[in-house]
């Protein structure tokens, strides 16, 4: 058990560090966003085909038509998520786009309340309020590093849209429990290929070897290898540790943006980013607020009335 936790922690840390560097690869490739996502899907598919074949995921009966349709639906959501997030990087910076993208838990909360009648407790509303205050601080902050006001706001909107579609993909993934995750990922990237092929390539093929190297890496490493590490870690780690290590991703993205592009957050942006991360952590780990003596929590009232 202890060995599994150690191995899983290493795998999760590596997966989050890889995820945190993808913004640099996107911008350094110099390619249109739609082309970047297309090549990521292509090279990711080639990598995942090899992985799935080696794990025996192509045997008959492993996937029903219903599960296949759900995986395709999740693929549409995850590819739109990539398109929006990658487009946000050049408009609001990798740092800001990543911080805004970390509002995903609250997108899930909203979708659950609207479509699945899930109850929103006062504690969840508190964390939502903290995240919203952080968002306002980021929006109101003066853009730095050459980002203009209109583009900056568009970047924030794109990152919010990316978080929404990621939440949709996460909801679909819950319905696919028990299905080999690498097979789901393969279906998703092939779905992306079919979606984007008619629209990509308007600017022609990359002309430099370095561009090809970046695109291949995004497919093979940021998609294929990252999925292997991430799902390997999830299988070995308790939920709270998986959640804790997932916060390495935004920290890595901040570091990459600072080192590679020299982007430094303004004080209000730092404050807003910290508020979003703290609120996301509160939601992830179920932190509750101090209660006066004798006061029952929302959860306790629910249990009493059940």
């Amino acid at each position: 058990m202890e060995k599994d936790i150690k191995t899983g922690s290493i795998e999760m840390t590596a997966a989050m560090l890889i995820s945190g560097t993808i913004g640099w690869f996107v911008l350094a490739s110099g390619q249109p966003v739609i082309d970047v996502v297309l090549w990521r899907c292509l090279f990711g598919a080639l990598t995942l085909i090899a992985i799935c074949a080696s794990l025996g995921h192509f045997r008959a009966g492993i996937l029903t038509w219903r599960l296949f349709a759900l995986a395709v639906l999740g693929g549409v959501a995850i590819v739109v998520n990539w398109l929006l997030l990658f487009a946000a990087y050049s408009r609001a910076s990798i740092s800001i786009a990543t911080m805004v993208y970390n509002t995903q838990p609250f997108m899930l909360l909203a979708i659950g309340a609207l479509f699945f009648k899930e109850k929103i407790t006062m504690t969840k509303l508190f964390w939502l309020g903290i995240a919203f205050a952080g968002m306002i601080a980021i929006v109101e902050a003066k853009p730095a590093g050459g980002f203009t006001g209109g583009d900056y706001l568009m970047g924030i909107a794109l990152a919010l849209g990316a978080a929404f579609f990621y939440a949709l993909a996460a909801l679909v993934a819950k319905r696919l429990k028990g299905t080999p995750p690498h097979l789901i990922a393969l279906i998703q990237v092939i779905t992306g290929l079919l979606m984007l092929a008619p629209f990509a390539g308007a600017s022609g093929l990359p002309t430099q070897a370095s561009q090809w190297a970046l695109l291949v890496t995004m497919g093979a490493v940021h998609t294929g290898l990252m999925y292997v590490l991430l799902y390997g870690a999830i299988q070995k780690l308790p939920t709270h540790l998986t959640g804790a290590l997932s916060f390495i991703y935004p920290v890595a993205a901040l570091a990459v943006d600072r080192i590679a592009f020299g982007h430094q957050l303004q004080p209000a942006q730092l404050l807003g980013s910290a508020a979003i991360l703290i609120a996301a952590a509160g939601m992830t780990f179920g932190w509750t607020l101090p209660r006066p003596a004798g006061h029952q929590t929302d959860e306790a009232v629910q249990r009493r009335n059940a």
Side-chain angles (χ1 to χ4, degrees):
M1 182 65 177
E2 187 175 339
K3 183 179 179 182
D4 277 351
I5 290 177
K6 182 178 180 180
T7 303
S9 297
I10 293 171
E11 289 173 340
M12 188 70 183
T13 299
M16 293 301 97
L17 289 173
I18 290 171
S19 296
T21 64
I22 195 168
W24 179 81
F25 281 79
V26 170
L27 296 179
S29 73
Q31 297 297 295
V33 166
I34 195 168
D35 290 357
V36 170
V37 177
L38 177 74
W39 291 115
R40 180 184 188 182
C41 288
L42 174 61
F43 294 121
L46 294 174
T47 305
L48 287 164
I49 285 172
I51 292 170
C52 289
S54 68
L55 294 174
H57 290 337
F58 292 142
R59 65 184 183 276
I62 200 169
L63 198 66
T64 66
W65 283 109
R66 177 182 170 275
L67 292 177
F68 175 76
L70 283 172
V72 170
L73 181 62
V76 172
I78 206 71
V79 169
V80 174
N81 152 72
W82 289 343
L83 289 169
L84 295 176
L85 182 61
F86 292 176
Y89 288 151
S90 61
R91 291 172 171 84
S93 81
I94 295 171
S95 299
I96 292 300
T98 302
M99 293 305 157
V100 173
Y101 185 59
N102 272 272
T103 57
Q104 300 155 8
F106 304 101
M107 299 293 181
L108 277 169
L109 177 66
I111 293 171
L114 287 173
F115 298 105
F116 302 103
K117 308 301 182 184
E118 294 179 2
K119 184 176 176 59
I120 300 179
T121 64
M122 288 302 297
T123 299
K124 291 177 180 177
L125 281 175
F126 172 78
W127 292 123
L128 179 60
I130 295 295
F132 184 74
M135 184 71 60
I136 294 299
I138 289 174
V139 169
E140 293 294 327
K142 181 180 178 182
F147 298 99
T148 60
D151 263 359
Y152 181 69
L153 293 177
M154 177 58 74
I156 290 174
L158 289 168
L160 282 172
F164 173 77
F165 279 97
Y166 182 88
L168 288 181
L171 285 174
V172 172
K174 287 185 178 181
R175 307 271 179 158
L176 293 167
K177 189 174 182 181
T179 307
H182 307 104
L183 185 59
I184 296 171
L186 176 59
I187 294 170
Q188 289 176 341
V189 292
I190 291 177
T191 299
L193 273 176
L194 297 176
M195 284 173 57
L196 301 179
F199 309 104
S203 61
L205 295 173
T207 57
Q208 299 177 20
S210 60
Q211 292 176 312
W212 283 112
L214 292 168
L215 295 170
V216 170
T217 301
M218 275 189 279
V221 177
H222 290 89
T223 307
L225 177 61
M226 199 275 290
Y227 269 108
V228 172
L229 292 170
L230 178 63
Y231 287 115
I234 289 172
Q235 290 171 357
K236 298 179 182 74
L237 296 176
T239 302
H240 73 276
L241 193 50
T242 302
L245 292 173
S246 69
F247 286 95
I248 292 173
Y249 161 57
V251 174
L254 279 173
V256 167
D257 202 20
R258 183 74 178 96
I259 295 168
F261 300 104
H263 296 154
Q264 189 169 3
L265 296 182
Q266 304 297 314
Q269 292 172 324
L270 278 171
L271 186 62
S273 298
I276 289 173
L277 290 181
I278 290 170
M283 282 284 292
T284 300
F285 303 124
W287 294 342
T288 56
L289 306 176
R291 302 283 183 174
H295 183 89
Q296 289 184 307
T297 65
D298 294 328
E299 291 79 5
V301 173
Q302 290 177 28
R303 288 195 298 270
R304 186 191 66 193
N305 295 333

